[in-house]
Amino acid sequence: MNMKKSEKREYIESILDLNIFSEMTDICKTELSEERKIREGLSGKKETYEGILEDYLKQKQQFETNKNRNINDLQEKINNLNKKIDILSSELKTIEEIKTNEYSEKIEKAKTALRIIENKLTESEKTISSKLSEIRSIQKNINEIKDNITVCPSCLRDIDENCKDHIENKKNEMQNEIKNIENQIETEKETNSKLKLKRKEAETIIDNLEKKEKESEKQRAKKEQNENLIDQIANSINDLNQQIEKEKNRTENFDKNISETEKKKKELEEKITGCDEKIYVMNNSKFILSDEGLKSLFISKIITLLNNKINYYLNKLDANSRITFDSYFEDVLTDSVGKNASYANLSGAEKKAVDLACMFSFMEMRELQNFPMFNFVLFDEIFDSSFDKKSVQLITDICEEISKNKCVFIISHRKDAIYSNNYKTISLQKKKGITTLLEK
């Protein structure tokens, strides 16, 4: 009862086996749709053949005119293609023949010269680095000679005035040596700068040569492209000439075409008539099987009985609610004074009573519809809800009625419900995952 309207209707129809109408209706709709598509296709073909017939009559009068026009069109295409060949040939004459390998040789020579310059630059930089290392070494020695030294650091003897003069002269010599090396470094740096200029010039030459080589490649590719296009156009011209000859020799048998087309048109008309008959039958069948047709008649025969049975069981359960289903299985729930009520606002026991009344009613309806008979019923936890002892007794009374022609089993966890009835009871106990039979 808590389902959506569409779900509830589908569920009830499936219980009462009314979904066969929907299934048959779907089959009719599918076949009707397919038949309409077939008819539409046949009608389209018929219209096509009617158009073809009309075209044949016109073509019979205009055949020669069209034939000459086609030949003129083909000749015009040939003329246009010949003009394209003339343009491409003129372009070929303007393309200079340049030997690509000449640039390759010049580029290789320039790269060789660049490598030599690079090697010289490397040697120059190594020389400068070496000279700088010499300066650092000499400067280190100068720094180690302290001013006003009185004891020789090697022999630990006192230093006289002559020794001091000697040390001062040695320092001056080393300073002069540093200046000479610095002059050499400046000279080497000038050489290094000149080499860098030469390297830049060599790189510029190589770049220009590579650009010219690429341009030469483009010219060569352009020449090959034009030559290929000329060949392709020449083949197209040859094909067009063949089409012209074929067009000149073409003849048409219009009378034969007209006769064959009229025959096919007649066959299509017969097929369309057959489709119309099938569509008529399927439309009637679809209406008969629809909600407004035979299905509505069938539901009207059983809906009153279904409502009576549901309310019979609601009375048996001492429920305050009443339910009425319409022909679309949309329910109206009323309270004890006849006012409309909502299933959602019912208590837990009231909802359960409504559900059980529907369940018992559907069971009876299926038997009345000659569904496969059964003599075994199993109810699982129908007491285990919000029922009091009185409600449990009322449900038990209904189950006793059912047990007159069926074997009824009731599973419950409520001991008060089990031991308060006259049923034969089987008590089971589950302990540590093992279920055992308890003796009374």
Side-chain angles (χ1 to χ4, degrees):
M1 292 298 296
N2 208 22
M3 295 179 178
K4 295 179 181 178
K5 289 183 179 181
S6 59
E7 294 175 349
K8 189 187 300 179
R9 180 180 179 183
E10 184 178 350
Y11 177 73
I12 296 174
E13 288 186 355
S14 66
I15 291 176
L16 301 177
D17 204 27
L18 296 177
N19 52 357
I20 188 172
F21 288 100
S22 299
E23 293 172 359
M24 293 174 69
T25 301
D26 290 340
I27 292 171
C28 281
K29 287 180 179 178
T30 301
E31 292 185 358
L32 181 61
S33 176
E34 292 296 326
E35 201 63 36
R36 282 174 175 166
K37 288 179 182 178
I38 292 171
R39 191 195 185 285
E40 185 179 348
L42 293 172
S43 297
K45 288 182 179 180
K46 179 189 171 186
E47 290 177 3
T48 301
Y49 281 117
E50 287 173 347
I52 291 172
L53 276 173
E54 186 178 351
D55 289 342
Y56 279 147
L57 294 173
K58 292 179 181 179
Q59 289 172 8
K60 193 173 182 179
Q61 298 174 356
Q62 298 180 358
F63 176 70
E64 290 300 328
T65 302
N66 293 337
K67 184 176 178 180
N68 292 331
R69 185 175 62 247
N70 291 338
I71 292 172
N72 292 334
D73 290 342
L74 292 169
Q75 190 61 53
E76 182 65 25
K77 289 180 180 179
I78 291 173
N79 294 337
N80 291 333
L81 291 174
N82 281 324
K83 290 177 181 178
K84 289 184 179 180
I85 289 177
D86 293 338
I87 293 170
L88 292 171
S89 298
S90 299
E91 289 180 359
L92 281 175
K93 293 177 181 178
T94 60
I95 296 173
E96 297 181 0
E97 276 291 343
I98 301 172
K99 295 181 179 179
T100 308
N101 58 350
E102 290 182 3
Y103 289 115
S104 300
E105 291 173 1
K106 291 178 180 178
I107 289 169
E108 188 57 37
K109 288 179 181 179
K111 286 182 177 180
T112 301
L114 179 61
R115 284 193 291 271
I116 293 170
I117 293 169
E118 292 283 358
N119 291 335
K120 288 181 178 181
L121 269 172
T122 302
E123 290 298 325
S124 175
E125 288 169 357
K126 285 181 180 180
T127 301
I128 292 169
S129 177
S130 175
K131 295 294 183 183
L132 289 171
S133 296
E134 288 181 24
I135 290 173
R136 286 194 294 272
S137 176
I138 294 169
Q139 190 65 49
K140 182 179 178 182
N141 291 334
I142 292 171
N143 293 336
E144 288 177 353
I145 300 174
K146 299 179 180 178
D147 295 333
N148 301 320
I149 189 169
T150 58
V151 179
C152 177
S154 299
C155 63
L156 302 177
R157 293 179 182 177
D158 293 335
I159 297 175
D160 56 16
E161 291 298 325
N162 291 330
C163 290
K164 288 182 179 180
D165 293 337
H166 175 72
I167 290 170
E168 190 63 31
N169 291 334
K170 187 65 176 175
K171 285 170 66 178
N172 292 333
E173 287 177 4
M174 286 189 287
Q175 290 288 355
N176 291 331
E177 187 176 354
I178 287 173
K179 289 181 180 180
N180 290 332
I181 294 171
E182 287 176 344
N183 291 333
Q184 292 174 13
I185 288 172
E186 288 301 320
T187 302
E188 192 63 37
K189 283 183 177 180
E190 291 177 3
T191 303
N192 188 278
S193 297
K194 291 177 181 179
L195 288 170
K196 286 180 178 179
L197 288 172
K198 289 183 178 181
R199 180 178 65 182
K200 188 174 182 179
E201 290 175 359
E203 288 173 346
T204 302
I205 291 169
I206 291 169
D207 186 55
N208 291 334
L209 288 171
E210 287 177 344
K211 287 180 180 178
K212 289 181 179 179
E213 185 180 36
K214 287 180 182 178
E215 185 62 29
S216 174
E217 281 292 329
K218 287 182 181 178
Q219 293 291 329
R220 184 186 61 78
K222 179 67 175 176
K223 181 181 178 183
E224 289 181 0
Q225 182 183 12
N226 284 10
E227 289 173 347
N228 290 333
L229 285 173
I230 289 171
D231 292 339
Q232 291 174 11
I233 293 171
N235 291 331
S236 298
I237 291 172
N238 185 46
D239 292 339
L240 290 171
N241 282 322
Q242 291 178 5
Q243 291 181 39
I244 288 174
E245 289 300 318
K246 185 178 179 181
E247 188 68 20
K248 288 179 179 178
N249 297 325
R250 183 170 66 89
T251 57
E252 295 290 343
N253 191 347
F254 289 104
D255 292 334
K256 180 182 177 181
N257 291 337
I258 291 170
S259 175
E260 290 178 352
T261 305
E262 286 178 341
K263 182 180 178 182
K264 289 178 180 178
K265 178 174 169 286
K266 187 177 180 180
E267 290 174 356
L268 288 170
E269 288 173 345
E270 291 173 356
K271 289 181 180 179
I272 289 171
T273 301
C275 285
D276 289 338
E277 292 173 356
K278 288 182 181 179
I279 290 170
Y280 175 78
V281 172
M282 288 178 188
N283 273 322
N284 289 334
S285 300
K286 188 178 74 169
F287 175 77
I288 291 170
L289 295 169
S290 67
D291 291 342
E292 292 76 22
L294 186 61
K295 181 178 178 181
S296 176
L297 177 64
F298 184 81
I299 292 174
S300 67
K301 297 290 184 182
I302 66 170
I303 195 67
T304 302
L305 179 60
L306 175 64
N307 289 329
N308 289 338
K309 288 201 171 291
I310 292 174
N311 291 309
Y312 165 77
Y313 282 112
L314 286 172
N315 282 329
K316 294 281 287 183
L317 294 170
D318 198 22
N320 294 325
S321 305
R322 294 294 179 269
I323 295 178
T324 303
F325 283 105
D326 62 15
S327 58
Y328 296 99
F329 295 110
E330 293 185 8
D331 60 276
V332 177
L333 187 67
T334 56
D335 58 17
S336 58
V337 296
K339 291 184 178 180
N340 289 344
S342 171
Y343 179 81
N345 293 332
L346 298 179
S347 66
E350 288 174 329
K351 289 180 180 177
K352 191 70 176 180
V354 170
D355 293 341
L356 289 176
C358 290
M359 180 187 71
F360 293 137
S361 301
F362 290 142
M363 284 175 57
E364 281 199 48
M365 292 299 293
R366 286 178 67 85
E367 288 187 10
L368 291 173
Q369 289 179 255
N370 292 321
F371 277 88
M373 300 300 291
F374 57 92
N375 60 359
F376 179 89
V377 182
L378 179 65
F379 295 117
D380 187 14
E381 299 184 10
I382 59 172
F383 299 143
D384 302 355
S385 184
S386 304
F387 291 128
D388 55 16
K389 288 185 178 181
K390 179 185 176 182
S391 298
V392 170
Q393 184 58 51
L394 293 173
I395 296 170
T396 303
D397 293 342
I398 294 173
C399 290
E400 285 180 354
E401 284 186 18
I402 296 172
S403 66
K404 290 177 181 179
N405 57 4
K406 290 179 178 60
C407 181
V408 178
F409 282 82
I410 301 173
I411 299 172
S412 178
H413 295 283
R414 288 182 59 168
K415 292 183 179 180
D416 60 332
I418 295 171
Y419 293 115
S420 65
N421 298 300
N422 296 322
Y423 282 114
K424 178 181 179 181
T425 60
I426 300 172
S427 299
L428 302 174
Q429 183 180 27
K430 188 173 183 180
K431 187 179 289 185
K432 294 182 179 181
I434 299 175
T435 302
T436 56
L437 178 66
L438 297 178
E439 296 181 1
K440 290 186 179 180

